Amino acid sequence: MSTVNLLQPILDGGVQRNNFFNGRLLSAEDLRAEQDANRAQRSQLTQALGDGVASGLEVSIISATARTVRVRGGLAINRRLDLLSLADDTDVTLVPTPPSATANGSGVFGECEPPRASIAYTGAGVYVLVGAPASGYSGSALISDVNTTSAGRGTCGARFSVEGFRFRLVPMELMQLSGLDAPLVSRIASLLPPSTTGARERLRNALTHLCLGTQAINDYFLDPLGPNGRETTWAGWGALDAMRARGDLTDCDVPLALVVLTSTGISLVDHWSVRRKLVGAGSISTWRGVAGPRRMRDAEAAFLQFQSQLEIVRSLEPSASIAAPSYFELLPPAGWLPTDGAGFNWKTFLGTHAPNAVTPVDAALVRGIIERSWLDDPFALAT
């Protein structure tokens, strides 16, 4: 800690940039320092935006049996505040990745080598597909440094260092993760591997709420102050936080999609189970479970995941016969049910949870109703 007077410049910890002037001798170290300064300033800017997916990077199944998915080009920011840019749509085959085949970690992102224990593909199970930064080199440039020995002069070095992108498939080892809703974990285990389309969709929904930490946040509100009358230490909630705490996910990783594999290939891929829009840690350091920006981000994800899954379910059977308990374990506090003339019956869908009467609502109020619902919690259909 230091003490300063008003208007006194505080330079400690500031970004150091080269001071250019005519006649100054520049070396490779000076140019690298300028690159580092640019990177540090970029990191400060991205810190205001937060981590998550900025655009694109949606994952879709190309071939279930060949375990191939397509990832759209896009942009993300990880918790290290690195920009991750995937320039073009890319097909990714989810196959074993031996440790010896990891990307070069000696470049810009040397700290982003994946944990060795999580590199190997282990077969059927639940996974999180993540994106992370990678670096490499391209092109060649002639070495003509007068300080280089004659044997070295005339040879070539890499012309460019390239900041790139790589994928990793991280196992979600449910029985090894702490702080999760035990009944929901048991329910998920009973649905693995899914034997029917209904079981697959219930598994999708249950995994979503395990990742969202629906029950964990409810438990927090039972006694947020704890026995000492102060806010309980808050380590996060949900399966992704548990994976980060265990070291399976690193601050280099940006979760893109939840993947369930079986012996025959890909069973399901789901975006909003793990995908989140950019949201920073925020200026709130305490009471994050109540007032932090992540609560709204997760609530939006729950709504979007439900709408996405509902479209999948509607493609499986005639709309009029779709009942929520056949495909969902939990429902968000609000959802948009279709009335498009395709025969969807909302009373059949909601079953015993359907209200006795319809309450007409002015269209101008609908958006506010849905957004206010994000302050409420999902509910289990079995209760």
Side-chain angles (χ1 to χ4, degrees):
M1 177 182 290
S2 60
T3 302
V4 298
N5 297 319
L6 291 175
L7 303 181
Q8 178 182 340
I10 303 172
L11 304 181
D12 293 343
V15 176
Q16 290 186 325
R17 309 190 70 99
N18 282 308
N19 180 33
F20 295 106
F21 52 86
N22 290 334
R24 174 176 173 174
L25 180 65
L26 293 176
S27 65
E29 288 77 12
D30 293 320
L31 297 177
R32 278 195 292 270
E34 187 66 14
Q35 291 175 328
D36 291 340
N38 286 333
R39 190 172 293 111
Q41 196 164 50
R42 188 177 69 184
S43 177
Q44 291 174 342
L45 290 173
T46 55
Q47 186 173 7
L49 297 173
D51 65 285
V53 177
S55 64
L57 299 177
E58 292 93 351
V59 184
S60 58
I61 299 175
I62 296 299
S63 173
T65 55
R67 295 187 172 93
T68 303
V69 298
R70 177 165 296 164
V71 184
R72 281 188 55 205
L75 183 68
I77 300 176
N78 64 17
R79 289 191 174 186
R80 288 182 70 249
L81 306 177
D82 300 315
L83 286 171
L84 282 63
S85 176
L86 185 66
D88 299 308
D89 295 358
T90 304
D91 290 352
V92 183
T93 303
L94 309 179
V95 297
T97 305
S100 60
T102 59
N104 179 19
S106 61
V108 176
F109 301 109
E111 297 179 15
C112 287
E113 279 297 290
R116 292 291 177 183
S118 295
I119 292 175
Y121 169 99
T122 57
V126 182
Y127 295 83
V128 179
L129 180 66
V130 302
S135 60
Y137 300 96
S138 67
S140 60
L142 189 66
I143 295 175
S144 60
D145 187 355
V146 296
N147 296 315
T148 304
T149 63
S150 58
R153 288 197 296 271
T155 59
C156 292
R159 184 177 184 184
F160 300 109
S161 64
V162 183
E163 298 180 6
F165 196 105
R166 69 175 168 192
F167 298 99
R168 192 160 67 95
L169 197 63
V170 185
M172 183 183 288
E173 301 183 45
L174 295 171
M175 300 305 174
Q176 306 299 320
L177 300 177
S178 59
L180 302 183
D181 177 23
L184 190 57
V185 170
S186 297
R187 178 62 175 155
I188 290 170
S190 70
L191 293 169
L192 282 169
S195 56
T196 64
T197 54
R200 182 194 68 193
E201 293 308 308
R202 291 195 300 275
L203 174 64
R204 182 197 303 269
N205 181 249
L207 284 168
T208 293
H209 287 278
L210 192 72
C211 292
L212 289 169
T214 297
Q215 187 57 49
I217 195 69
N218 287 344
D219 292 343
Y220 167 78
F221 281 117
L222 292 176
D223 189 13
L225 293 179
N228 59 5
R230 298 178 180 178
E231 187 207 13
T232 303
T233 301
W234 191 247
W237 58 87
L240 297 185
D241 284 319
M243 292 176 71
R244 290 191 186 277
R246 190 171 179 265
D248 298 333
L249 292 178
T250 73
D251 286 346
C252 295
D253 298 323
V254 175
L256 302 178
L258 186 77
V259 179
V260 173
L261 299 179
T262 67
S263 59
T264 58
I266 300 174
S267 176
L268 69 86
V269 169
D270 194 90
H271 298 294
W272 290 109
S273 301
V274 300
R275 176 190 176 96
R276 302 291 182 267
K277 72 177 187 181
L278 292 176
V279 173
S283 58
I284 300 172
S285 58
T286 58
W287 289 98
R288 284 174 292 173
V290 179
R294 179 178 160 182
R295 291 285 288 128
M296 295 300 291
R297 180 179 67 172
D298 286 355
E300 289 175 350
F303 171 81
L304 293 169
Q305 195 281 333
F306 168 75
Q307 300 302 151
S308 175
Q309 186 173 354
L310 182 60
E311 289 306 306
I312 295 173
V313 169
R314 291 182 68 199
S315 69
L316 299 177
E317 66 170 280
S319 290
S321 59
I322 296 175
S326 297
Y327 298 99
F328 296 88
E329 297 286 326
L330 299 99
L331 291 182
W336 193 279
L337 302 181
T339 56
D340 55 8
F344 185 88
N345 188 314
W346 62 269
K347 288 188 175 182
T348 300
F349 180 79
L350 293 175
T352 58
H353 295 283
N356 293 325
V358 175
T359 303
V361 176
D362 191 298
L365 302 177
V366 173
R367 177 180 175 182
I369 291 172
I370 291 178
E371 289 185 350
R372 282 191 294 275
S373 78
W374 294 341
L375 300 173
D376 298 320
D377 296 321
F379 69 93
L381 287 165
T383 61

